Amino acid sequence: MPKRKGLVINDRQLDLCDDLLQKLKEVSGSTFLALISTSGQPITTASDEYHPETLSLASLAASSFAATQQLARILDENEFTLLFHEGRALNLHVTQVTEQVLLIVTFGRETQVGKVRLYTQRAVEVLRQIFEVDEDEETPAMDADFESSAGRAIDDLFQDA
Amino acid sequence: MPLINFAAREINYKIVYYGCGLCGKTTNIQFIHRKINPDARGKLVSIATEEERTLYFDFLPLTLGKVKGMQTRFHLYTVPGQSYYNASRKLVLQGVDGIIFVADSQITRLDENVESYLNLWDNLLGQGDDLSKLAFVIQMNKRDLTETFSVEDLNELLNHTDSPVVPASAVTGEGVFETLKIVCKQVIAKTA
């Protein structure tokens, strides 16, 4: 089991990811793309019109993907590297990018699953390089100012509850 | 460790409610969902059986707002408490930053509490967690009922880490936000 480590996204990574997701969206004909962490937190999205509830989507997709990996182990398969759900109007495709990052793609009838898979696989290879450079770095700590400000915000948020 | 997105100025922490079946984990989250400022919460997602027992998890995102320019969020999860759902519990624990162990104070639930507590540490060690970097709070739930252990006795039985303890009744809301407040401050302190 891998050691637990943080995931920190810097400006350069986010710019590269946003550019790549936008290109992938255009060439694959997909409607919505999101990069999320394997612990269920959204990193960035690409969409023009369709905006699902991203926090819930990230949480459910990450959990579903994690469950799929466990299914693979139970079936003595090394790993299932993607998750695919086919709907009447919309399809969901989840692929592992790195140990800590997943790529969600949704697409409708206007494109083909083979096309989405082909371009997604190419994009994953590029995305992997963007993240693998930095995943081994130590997570920088937030400063003491952040801690005291957050403490006051927590008191405020929960005081009227 | 949390997901820190410096580029998007966001920081996300994952907090998990752990404990035996029917100890009140989902009741905690439902109370928070009902009582917190609606602007500060997202949608409550529950994956439950037809009998409303948690099958996989409940999920509630809370937004603290901008702190020093960083949009700060806490993602609250529960695990399924019944012993045979351990595979699901392990998945929910992935990437956790803080844990609230909800103990059922009823005398009749002692064995289940101890089993769940040991199971938690087994799972954390199994996924290679650095326990010193995790926030951890014990909530002694169901203090409104009779035939319960004293807080002192439960503390001696379950609290080998000398962690903060909060007496609570998730049904009435007593202690629910106090527990959450402590763990939220702890997770931030652990990354500062």
Side-chain angles (χ1 to χ4, degrees):
Chain A
M1 188 63 72
K3 287 277 287 183
R4 144 199 169 83
K5 48 189 176 181
L7 179 58
V8 179
I9 315 295
N10 59 38
D11 290 339
R12 186 190 62 83
Q13 284 174 308
L14 195 68
D15 286 346
L16 290 170
C17 290
D18 283 341
D19 285 348
L20 191 75
L21 291 193
Q22 197 56 43
K23 280 182 195 145
L24 176 58
K25 183 179 165 307
E26 287 162 16
V27 295
S28 67
S30 49
T31 48
F32 174 84
L33 297 94
L35 280 171
I36 65 169
S37 73
T38 46
S39 56
Q41 295 150 336
I43 297 168
T44 190
T45 61
S47 176
D48 294 331
E49 293 171 1
Y50 178 58
H51 295 283
E53 212 268 282
T54 312
L55 292 177
S56 300
L57 177 68
S59 162
L60 289 166
S63 305
S64 191
F65 192 83
T68 305
Q69 285 185 313
Q70 290 304 309
L71 282 173
R73 284 188 194 158
I74 288 167
L75 296 171
D76 293 327
E77 172 54 56
N78 192 28
E79 57 180 1
F80 292 148
T81 53
L82 71 84
L83 176 68
F84 179 62
H85 291 296
E86 185 175 3
R88 282 186 191 165
L90 194 79
N91 305 303
L92 173 72
H93 188 279
V94 184
T95 326
Q96 182 145 33
V97 177
T98 69
E99 194 181 292
Q100 291 188 283
V101 179
L102 302 173
L103 171 62
I104 297 174
V105 180
T106 68
F107 57 97
R109 295 285 171 208
E110 61 279 5
T111 187
Q112 301 82 37
V113 62
K115 189 173 166 186
V116 172
R117 278 194 184 179
L118 174 68
Y119 285 115
T120 298
Q121 201 49 46
R122 288 183 186 170
V124 163
E125 287 165 20
V126 181
L127 285 167
R128 195 171 286 145
Q129 290 167 27
I130 295 170
F131 285 104
E132 283 184 343
V133 172
D134 294 291
E135 268 197 6
D136 292 333
E137 288 182 6
E138 282 287 303
T139 305
M142 304 304 290
D143 61 22
D145 264 5
F146 178 82
E147 184 184 350
S148 57
S149 297
R152 285 193 295 276
I154 289 167
D155 287 336
D156 288 346
L157 177 61
F158 298 151
Q159 73 171 355
D160 299 326
Chain B
M1 292 293 288
L3 167 59
I4 305 176
N5 193 335
F6 279 115
R9 310 294 294 162
E10 287 178 0
I11 182 162
N12 295 290
Y13 298 95
K14 182 173 182 176
I15 292 168
V16 174
Y17 285 79
Y18 209 94
C20 63
L22 296 173
C23 70
K25 302 174 290 297
T26 299
T27 311
N28 263 272
I29 277 203
Q30 287 172 336
F31 183 83
I32 293 163
H33 183 257
R34 275 201 311 277
K35 294 294 181 182
I36 203 160
N37 177 355
D39 294 338
R41 61 159 161 80
K43 193 175 172 190
L44 174 62
V45 175
S46 290
I47 304 180
T49 64
E50 284 180 8
E51 298 83 31
E52 297 193 354
R53 300 290 300 275
T54 305
L55 176 64
Y56 198 169
F57 61 82
D58 307 298
F59 169 67
L60 177 65
L62 298 181
T63 303
L64 189 59
K66 284 205 169 176
V67 178
K68 292 280 166 190
M70 298 285 281
Q71 187 66 257
T72 306
R73 292 197 193 96
F74 298 103
H75 292 182
L76 310 186
Y77 286 81
T78 66
V79 296
Q82 291 147 292
S83 56
Y84 47 85
Y85 287 141
N86 196 39
S88 304
R89 280 194 292 277
K90 285 182 184 175
L91 299 181
V92 178
L93 276 179
Q94 287 180 9
V96 67
D97 297 301
I99 292 166
I100 294 169
F101 183 82
V102 182
D104 188 327
S105 299
Q106 296 177 96
I107 290 169
T108 52
R109 303 302 308 281
L110 175 63
D111 288 350
E112 288 92 336
N113 282 325
V114 172
E115 187 188 341
S116 177
Y117 188 74
L118 295 175
N119 171 257
L120 167 64
W121 294 108
D122 275 352
N123 286 340
L124 290 174
L125 290 168
Q127 68 181 25
D129 262 324
D130 180 352
L131 303 183
S132 67
K133 289 186 177 166
L134 281 180
F136 189 69
V137 178
I138 298 179
Q139 182 187 75
M140 307 293 190
N141 194 23
K142 306 196 184 180
R143 300 311 303 171
D144 53 313
L145 299 183
T146 53
E147 299 193 19
T148 55
F149 278 108
S150 70
V151 171
E152 293 74 25
D153 285 346
L154 268 178
N155 192 44
E156 198 168 316
L157 282 164
L158 294 176
N159 193 5
H160 79 282
T161 52
D162 205 19
S163 299
V165 170
V166 182
S169 166
V171 171
T172 64
E174 180 198 337
V176 169
F177 279 104
E178 190 187 344
T179 314
L180 183 60
K181 195 187 283 191
I182 294 172
V183 86
C184 288
K185 287 185 176 180
Q186 271 195 11
V187 291
I188 286 168
K190 297 276 181 183
T191 51

